[in-house]
């Protein structure tokens, strides 16, 4: 294995949907949300794509296990880096979301009704609940 590939296994690739903050803003954000983990480097790869290298594999794994993050209300996607991964973020067409309706009566628990409730928030977009 060459030295470059051996250097990156403790890294994650991150993208923010519908945002491209400057590297300084992104670095401040990840250092704040992951302040208990040893971040070695934060690198701008290309538009909307950042590489964060942790000092330990354990820190990387804990960050990945959390799953969902948000940056200014936008999905902040974190994936483990590997040498064979496709880093084309333009192919992302949908994201899982968690919606909480406290005390929603059971009569509204059908996919049809939930889709109608969801569309009230985003009437300008064609969204579906899966």
């Amino acid at each position: 294995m060459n030295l470059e590939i051996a250097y990156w296994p403790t890294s994650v690739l991150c993208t923010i949907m519908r945002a491209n903050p400057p590297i300084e803003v992104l670095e401040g954000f990840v250092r704040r949300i992951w302040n208990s983990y040893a971040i070695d480097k934060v690198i701008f790869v290309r538009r909307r794509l950042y590489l964060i290298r942790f000092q330990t594999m354990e820190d990387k794994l804990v960050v990945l296990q959390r799953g969902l993050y948000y940056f200014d209300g936008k999905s902040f996607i974190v994936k483990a880096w590997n040498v064979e991964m496709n880093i084309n973020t333009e192919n992302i067409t949908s994201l899982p979301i968690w919606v909480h309706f406290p005390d929603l009566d059971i009569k509204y628990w059908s996919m049809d009704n939930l889709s109608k409730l969801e569309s009230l928030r985003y009437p300008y977009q064609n969204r579906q609940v899966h």
Side-chain angles (χ1 to χ4, degrees):
M1 180 183 302
N2 72 34
L3 292 176
E4 290 81 16
I5 293 172
Y7 182 77
W8 297 108
T10 60
S11 301
V12 296
L13 275 169
C14 303
T15 189
I16 302 166
M17 301 309 295
R18 301 180 332 260
N20 187 38
I23 185 69
E24 299 83 10
V25 172
L26 188 277
E27 183 168 0
F29 171 73
V30 297
R31 291 193 185 274
R32 182 177 49 80
I33 66 169
W34 297 329
N35 65 355
S36 59
Y37 308 110
I39 296 174
D40 181 45
K41 293 186 183 293
V42 178
I43 299 169
F44 176 80
V45 176
R46 65 179 162 92
R47 185 176 182 268
R48 292 184 6 196
L49 191 63
Y50 307 87
L51 186 67
I52 291 96
R53 183 176 185 270
F54 293 91
Q55 290 180 5
T56 68
M57 185 63 77
E58 293 78 22
D59 286 350
K60 170 192 165 179
L61 294 174
V62 171
V63 163
L64 288 170
Q65 287 174 353
R66 167 135 184 257
L68 297 175
Y69 296 93
Y70 294 93
F71 174 90
D72 194 27
K74 296 171 181 69
S75 296
F76 179 70
I77 301 169
V78 180
K79 295 287 182 187
W81 176 89
N82 72 62
V83 70
E84 297 176 5
M85 74 186 319
N86 177 357
I87 61 170
N88 185 359
T89 58
E90 302 304 320
N91 291 336
I92 299 172
T93 58
S94 65
L95 296 171
I97 61 169
W98 181 263
V99 179
H100 186 94
F101 294 112
D103 303 320
L104 182 66
D105 195 310
I106 196 167
K107 66 185 173 189
Y108 299 113
W109 286 17
S110 72
M111 289 304 292
D112 196 41
N113 284 328
L114 290 173
S115 291
K116 288 176 185 175
L117 287 171
E118 193 272 341
S119 69
L120 293 175
R121 180 168 180 182
Y122 300 103
Y124 55 89
Q125 294 177 348
N126 183 15
R127 298 186 181 244
Q128 297 176 354
V129 176
H130 298 282

